[in-house]
Amino acid sequence: MNDPRMSRRLFHGLVGGSALTAAGVAAAEPAAATEPGGAAEPAAATRGNAAEEGATGERPFRARSGSASGRRPNVLVILGDDLSWADLSSYGAPHINTPHLDLLARQGVRFTNAYSGSATCSPTRFSLYTGRFPGRTKGGLAEPVGDRSQGLDPNHPTLASLLKTAGYATALIGKWHCGWLPDYSPTKSGWDEFFGNFGGVLEYFSKLGQLGEYDLYEGDATHRDLRYYTTVLTERAVEYVTRDHDTPWLLNLNFTTPHWPWLAEGDAATGAEIAEKIRAASSHDEVVNALNHYDGGSVEKYTEMVESLDAAVGEVLAALRRSGQEEDTLVLFASDNGGERFSYNWPLSGEKFSLLEGGIRVPTILRWPSRIDARQVSDEPNFSPDWTATLLEVAGARPDAAYPLDGTSLAGYLLRGEEPRERDLFWRVRDNRALRRGDWKYYQDADGKDQLFNLARDAREQADLAPDRPELLADLKAAWEKTAADLLPYPPPS
């Protein structure tokens, strides 16, 4: 551990809490946080066996003993957009202050080996909404969805439709990115309510999106609001969680932060310049280039955006506490894929679009005060479809037998102390392939070169062990090809 950029806290996250605690290595506690307005940290945040907690303040995950209440939880799933694995201070960022998300991690479980379902926005959302590999559905082959011909088939069961059948109220606030009207919409796929944008990106003030059109909707009708988008989504989420609900509820809260364009709340003038470029564009490519903001952004601006995301999450969680529902609400926070230009990803290699670790390993935090103890860290590998299966099980909903899940429920591990079932984690994109089994990862790059990495010893994926372990490489490659053979083929490149 000679690189000065490798903080002790980050090293803890890479090798696992138990190993580091046993070694007695001290790690920095995330910055203390209170609710907006100065309310104290809730009692749930202090649960756990202090004798087992090392200097890190975290202990290796262990399911709580004792009987369950039997009450089905509310489910709040919060996604950041293009948020890198190490962009939170609790995951090692030395220059980004995320006290609210750090507090959420202290109140529950921080996962160190959690992954998105793909390396770009919409395929991961397909995998989270359906619990299946993106390549199971035609719309999931788009990387990402980019026009009106592509989307999530409304006849396909989703997390929302299955929970709705089980008696849940369902809502999606924020980025959908699984198809545009008239054929595709959250309200066609199981969500009772939708407030947000259909596309993958929009200018944060004008709400002009990647089709060059205004893209803020309530249900299927446009909703006019020219304030900073993160603020607008936060207000709507606070309103939803503080309603007088008479049934358990699912809220998918999908922020666009910190996805480009690189704009914080005080950057309305820069946003107006981007909006003018969009209005003047004569092609789809010109619209996307304007939104991509190649001539803008900085590490400092990106930091400001991530910190605004953290503040927004803090407001929603504070509202949840005020509503009296905190104890019985399962909160899952993650990102849809790895980061881009200004992200902090050390020590991982790769970024968004790549199946190297930096493209798919994401920060993931789970809190459920009535069922799961605080101040824990888990090294258990998992990815987006696992959370679909997990949420269905804890909510008492059944998958559709005609659409078998590719994810594996973690409920037994999290709630009953069961050993996680050994299985492979699988990813496929046009230019990469990857499969993780235990500590081993098979990876094929865009040139077709097969590589083998031991992630426990080489999270940066620099030491290719394929020449040393040809039999293991062949075994993992065969496993990847067996799974891929069941998926839809990609259409020819346009």
Side-chain angles (χ1 to χ4, degrees), residues 58-63 105 108-110 372-378:
E58 291 179 329
R59 61 185 174 94
F61 176 78
R62 188 172 70 187
V109 186
R110 186 176 65 88
I372 293 174
D373 287 338
R375 297 182 182 272
Q376 300 194 85
V377 61
S378 172

Side-chain angles (χ1 to χ4, degrees), residues 20 82 142 166 198 248 255 283 324 336 340 402 449 463-464:
L20 198 62
D82 291 3
F198 283 100
F255 288 100
S283 69
D336 60 349
E340 285 202 75
K449 180 183 179 183
D464 179 12

Side-chain angles (χ1 to χ4, degrees), residues 26 31 74 134 149 198 244 261 278 294 348 356 365 377 388 419 443 453 465 480:
N74 303 315
S149 71
F198 283 100
D244 189 11
I278 295 171
Y294 291 111
L348 307 182
L356 289 168
I365 299 167
V377 61
T388 316
E419 283 294 318
Y443 172 74
F453 302 107
L465 301 177
W480 187 95

